[in-house]
Amino acid sequence: MYERIVIAVDGSEEAERAAKRGFDLARRFDASVDVVHVVEHRSLRLTESSAERERLRERGQSILAETAALAGERSVSTTLLDGKPGVEIGEHVRETDASLLVLGRQGATGLGKRLLGGVTEHVVQHVAVPVLVVPAATEQTREYSRILVPTDGSANAAAATPHGAAVASQYGATVHVLNVVDLQSAGGAFNAGGLEDEFVDRLEREGREAIDAAAENLAASAPDVSVETAVNRTASLDGVAVGIREYVYTNDVDLVVMGSHGRSNLQRQLLGSVTSQLLGDIDVPVLVVNRRD
């Protein structure tokens, strides 16, 4: 599944935790690892001498060396780049034919917060391989024992299923497959003061069909993996993301594996907006799978 992993670092605590997660995945999948750091053009433009520019690059080399040391006896390569971090990381992933990108959620710049932005947002939107986004609050020693794969029945959501199965197999984890019925979205679309039971039942029936299909795909990909399924309702104004977040914390989920885009129960709301909300809101790693991979 993952033969070459790129880990992007910037010297932040989140990047260090992401690197440790990346190294552990590399060990389990027997993947090669390349650690990359980008010296921002913006920072280079603020320098006033070649000596200052050299110190920036020396700092980058130091970050790379310190990160590589976290791999222990495992051999890793390191790459120092100049430019816009999101663009350079994406180009590096393509040029090296990497199969997974790992990085921290916000990094030293503090970008992201509740609304995802900056480097993380750019790579999630533009990199064609799966991206593992690791928040600072992640417990460094906690292994993946419960993996959540949300699904809306779309092809993009289905693209995440094999990745959830592969990671679960390596860690001996249980996979939870979840569909969230968004009652607020349904009510707004039908301009209804209250939803008819028959309509809600249909949405839940479609949700069960989606999770059953995902469970079948999981069983085919990883017959040794235990699977649990659920269809939950949410009446929150924030929609599907709230339902997923509640499930994550109620069931002590360690990792979320989801498609970068999809559809809602009404085929209107892009799952991409849900993914962005979750990346900014939850304190567990999220593996975002783009269907283009």
Side-chain angles (χ1 to χ4, degrees):
M1 178 63 70
Y2 307 125
E3 297 179 355
R4 184 174 181 84
I5 298 175
V6 169
I7 302 174
V9 296
D10 60 4
S12 66
E13 179 184 354
E14 281 184 317
E16 178 180 327
R17 290 175 184 257
K20 290 178 178 179
R21 290 283 178 174
F23 291 140
D24 189 56
L25 280 168
R27 178 177 61 83
R28 292 174 184 269
F29 284 92
D30 194 26
S32 64
V33 179
D34 185 22
V35 182
V36 61
H37 174 77
V38 182
V39 180
E40 294 189 63
H41 273 174
R42 180 178 57 183
S43 299
L44 290 170
R45 285 197 299 269
L46 294 174
T47 61
E48 296 181 347
S49 67
S50 59
E52 289 182 351
R53 288 189 289 274
E54 184 59 28
R55 281 198 292 274
L56 277 178
R57 292 191 172 91
E58 288 175 354
R59 176 181 177 274
Q61 293 287 7
S62 177
I63 290 171
L64 289 172
E66 290 171 1
T67 304
L70 299 174
E73 297 180 358
R74 189 173 192 87
S75 177
V76 302
S77 61
T78 60
T79 304
L80 184 68
L81 301 169
D82 292 352
K84 292 184 178 180
V87 174
E88 293 299 327
I89 292 168
E91 284 294 327
H92 189 73
V93 166
R94 285 187 286 274
E95 291 173 359
T96 58
D97 197 26
S99 48
L100 176 69
L101 171 64
V102 180
L103 76 167
R105 181 172 63 192
Q106 293 174 210
T109 61
L111 294 171
K113 300 183 179 178
R114 285 189 63 83
L115 293 177
L116 195 65
V119 177
T120 306
E121 182 178 34
H122 181 90
V123 298
V124 167
Q125 290 180 352
H126 295 96
V127 173
V129 303
V131 180
L132 178 63
V133 181
V134 181
T138 299
E139 294 181 32
Q140 296 187 34
T141 58
R142 182 168 172 172
E143 292 192 347
Y144 303 133
S145 59
R146 287 167 293 277
I147 297 174
L148 175 62
V149 179
T151 183
D152 57 9
S154 68
N156 282 303
T161 304
H163 295 269
V167 176
S169 290
Q170 293 298 325
Y171 286 86
T174 298
V175 176
H176 295 243
V177 183
L178 172 70
N179 175 270
V180 177
V181 176
D182 185 353
L183 297 179
Q184 283 290 340
S185 178
F190 283 81
N191 195 26
L195 295 177
E196 296 292 337
D197 289 343
E198 182 179 349
F199 176 61
V200 175
D201 288 344
R202 177 170 67 81
L203 294 181
E204 291 189 337
R205 185 168 61 252
E206 292 174 353
R208 283 191 292 272
E209 291 173 356
I211 61 174
D212 287 346
E216 288 179 8
N217 290 335
L218 281 163
S221 300
D224 58 321
V225 169
S226 176
V227 179
E228 297 183 11
T229 62
V231 175
N232 290 355
R233 300 181 185 182
T234 181
S236 169
L237 292 174
D238 289 331
V240 172
V242 170
I244 297 174
R245 184 172 67 241
E246 289 175 351
Y247 191 93
V248 165
Y249 292 123
T250 300
N251 293 275
D252 204 21
V253 167
D254 306 303
L255 172 70
V256 178
V257 182
M258 65 190 304
S260 58
H261 298 83
R263 63 167 184 262
S264 73
N265 297 96
L266 299 176
Q267 299 187 15
R268 293 188 175 209
Q269 184 182 25
L270 285 178
L271 186 61
S273 63
V274 176
T275 305
S276 292
Q277 282 182 269
L278 287 173
L279 285 170
D281 283 352
I282 63 175
D283 291 326
V284 301
V286 179
L287 178 59
V288 183
V289 180
N290 193 317
R291 190 182 175 191
R292 289 176 297 177
D293 90 284

